[in-house]
């Protein structure tokens, strides 16, 4: 492929980071981009800054890297850090004073969990660990004992169990063990984006394993993001993101546990304690990374029958869902933005209208 006149396309929901280039005819040589690859929350994050002077881009990248290292340490679910100290205090029936950033993140988690009707709930860290997902490598060996899963689910750890006294956090339920993996990546990218803009960076993309936040554009073109086909290598379509938009995909095709030919995804239903199976992939287009991240998880748990109401309650209107039989379902707002891959969509897309938000969506923060 020629390096001239290229359009940058990011694969959303891809393995690691995939920045692909598609020819778009000859044009003037584009301005050079500054690239930085970082590691946070168990995935690689690629930062691409467009059009900035080299020194400014390097300084901004270094500051983003320092931020990510701090958040990785403080928010990690199974390595030593602030979240681990909070979990230990909760297990002992005590309280722990966190920094303001973690306390704010937890308050947001309470609200997102409420809006999802409990389908997204970061309080189920003990269940996540029981299924073997508190490791950097995929789980191996025997699957968890069903009785142990039921016992943990019956203790009903919920974000609503948390109590806040300023930045001091406690829980009325000692079964709460916090794992912020369902939305911490989105929150981290939101913070990084705000940092870049505060430093005067006007055009950039943050790509965390296929979850994407964009700032500005790539010169005279939008940042273009492709949504991965979960069944074969390639994309089902692409979206040209406007400045400030984000696209997040949650799927069961990357992190999973296999036993006797069955696949158990890392996305766990907080109500039953068991991994979801019906939904393979959910992509959410939004303007808020943490909300999009949480909603993609919640809609995977909600499944075909419940997801339209959950999407409406969580305030996301651009959704693409792919079920385990290959069925593609999309909201009108999403299908209006989704450009088919070459050859068209793998199959017809069912358009699903969202209902009005329910009364249960009125969730207030503590």
């Amino acid at each position: 492929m020629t390096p001239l006149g290229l359009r940058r396309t990011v694969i959303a929901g891809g393995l690691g980071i995939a920045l692909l280039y598609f020819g778009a005819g000859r044009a003037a040589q584009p301005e050079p981009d500054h690239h930085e690859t970082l590691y946070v929350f168990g995935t690689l994050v690629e930062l691409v800054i467009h059009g900035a002077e080299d020194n400014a881009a390097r300084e901004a990248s270094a500051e983003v890297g320092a931020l990510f290292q701090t958040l990785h340490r403080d928010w990690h679910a199974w390595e030593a850090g602030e979240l681990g100290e909070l979990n230990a205090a909760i297990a002992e029936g005590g309280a722990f004073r966190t920094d303001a950033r973690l306390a704010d993140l937890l308050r947001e988690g309470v609200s997102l969990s409420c809006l999802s009707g409990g389908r997204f709930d970061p309080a189920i860290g003990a269940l996540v660990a029981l299924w073997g997902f508190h490791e950097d490598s995929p789980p191996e060996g025997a699957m968890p004992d069903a009785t142990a899963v039921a016992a943990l689910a019956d203790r009903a750890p919920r974000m609503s169990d948390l109590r806040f006294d300023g930045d001091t956090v406690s829980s009325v339920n000692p079964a709460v063990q916090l794992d912020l993996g369902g939305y911490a990546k989105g929150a981290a990218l939101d913070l990084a984006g705000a940092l870049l803009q505060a430093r005067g960076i006007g055009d950039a993309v943050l790509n965390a394993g296929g979850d994407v936040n964009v700032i500005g554009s790539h010169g005279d073109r939008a940042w273009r993001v492709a949504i991965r086909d979960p069944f074969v290598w390639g994309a089902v379509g692409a979206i040209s993101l406007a400045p400030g938009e984000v696209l997040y995909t949650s799927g069961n095709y990357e992190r999973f546990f296999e036993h006797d030919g069955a696949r158990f995804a890392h996305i766990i239903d907080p109500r039953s304690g068991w991994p979801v199976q019906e939904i393979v992939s959910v992509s959410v287009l939004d303007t808020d990374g943490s909300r999009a991240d949480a909603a993609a998880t919640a809609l995977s748990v909600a499944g075909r029958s419940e997801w339209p109401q959950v999407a409406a309650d969580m305030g996301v209107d651009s959704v693409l869902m792919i079920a385990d039989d290959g069925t593609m379902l999309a909201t009108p707002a999403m299908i209006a933005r989704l450009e088919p891959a070459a050859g068209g969509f793998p199959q017809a897309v069912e358009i699903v209208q969202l209902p009005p938000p329910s009364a249960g969506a009125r969730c207030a923060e503590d």
Side-chain angles (χ1 to χ4, degrees):
M1 289 179 284
T2 172
L4 299 178
L6 301 175
R7 285 193 297 176
R8 177 178 299 280
T9 300
V10 182
I11 295 292
L15 291 168
I17 302 172
L19 290 177
L20 306 181
Y21 298 92
F22 294 88
R26 291 189 174 273
Q29 180 70 30
E31 297 180 59
D33 293 332
H34 174 83
H35 294 255
E36 197 77 37
T37 302
L38 310 159
Y39 183 80
V40 64
F41 302 127
T43 192
L44 293 174
V45 179
E46 184 165 15
L47 166 61
V48 181
I49 296 174
H50 175 75
E53 292 185 359
D54 189 59
N55 285 343
R58 290 182 183 278
E59 290 175 3
S61 293
E63 193 167 349
V64 167
L67 171 68
F68 281 158
Q69 291 306 313
T70 298
L71 299 182
H72 182 92
R73 181 191 67 235
D74 290 345
W75 296 357
H76 204 290
W78 65 87
E79 292 182 0
E82 193 169 67
L83 186 64
E85 293 183 69
L86 172 58
N87 279 333
I90 288 173
E92 295 172 359
F96 180 77
R97 183 178 178 84
T98 71
D99 73 3
R101 194 155 48 194
L102 178 54
D104 287 344
L105 182 65
L106 293 174
R107 288 189 179 93
E108 184 178 20
V110 173
S111 177
L112 290 168
S113 176
C114 175
L115 291 168
S116 77
R119 293 158 185 86
F120 164 78
D121 205 303
I124 61 168
L127 277 166
V128 177
L130 183 63
W131 278 98
F133 292 111
H134 276 182
E135 300 287 344
D136 291 326
S137 56
E140 296 179 351
M143 67 182 296
D145 179 73
T147 303
V149 172
L152 275 177
D154 287 346
R155 296 182 71 188
R158 298 291 182 262
M159 291 298 286
S160 57
D161 294 327
L162 294 181
R163 297 294 181 267
F164 298 88
D165 181 5
D167 296 335
T168 299
V169 184
S170 60
S171 172
V172 297
N173 182 353
V176 167
Q177 289 291 281
L178 298 161
D179 182 326
L180 310 183
Y183 74 128
K185 186 164 56 174
L189 294 194
D190 287 343
L191 289 171
L195 185 157
L196 290 170
Q197 290 180 295
R199 292 193 64 98
I201 301 298
D203 299 301
V205 63
L206 288 150
N207 173 24
D211 293 328
V212 181
N213 286 38
V214 305
I215 300 168
S217 60
H218 190 249
D220 60 354
R221 301 182 180 93
W223 297 102
R224 192 164 178 262
V225 183
I227 297 176
R228 179 181 167 182
D229 186 327
F231 300 106
V232 298
W233 178 250
V236 298
I239 297 175
S240 296
L241 296 188
E245 287 188 324
V246 305
L247 182 65
Y248 280 66
T249 296
S250 184
N252 69 4
Y253 47 83
E254 289 183 8
R255 294 186 65 209
F256 53 85
F257 174 83
E258 282 191 308
H259 180 72
D260 289 343
R263 177 178 293 189
F264 298 91
H266 74 285
I267 303 170
I268 295 173
D269 187 333
R271 300 162 300 179
S272 68
W274 284 80
V276 302
Q277 292 185 308
E278 180 185 27
I279 304 305
V280 177
S281 164
V282 175
S283 298
V284 176
L285 173 66
D286 199 48
T287 56
D288 183 280
S290 54
R291 178 172 60 193
D293 206 0
T297 298
L299 300 182
S300 297
V301 172
R304 292 198 202 193
S305 62
E306 298 178 339
W307 78 266
Q309 187 64 66
V310 177
D313 291 349
M314 295 190 76
V316 295
D317 66 357
S318 296
V319 178
L320 173 68
M321 174 177 285
I322 302 176
D324 55 3
D325 62 359
T327 302
M328 296 175 61
L329 308 102
T331 60
M334 175 60 92
I335 202 65
R337 298 286 300 278
L338 187 62
E339 310 161 29
F345 295 122
Q347 61 175 292
V349 182
E350 179 183 340
I351 308 302
V352 179
Q353 298 283 345
L354 298 185
S358 65
R362 301 189 185 100
C363 299
E365 294 182 359
D366 286 325

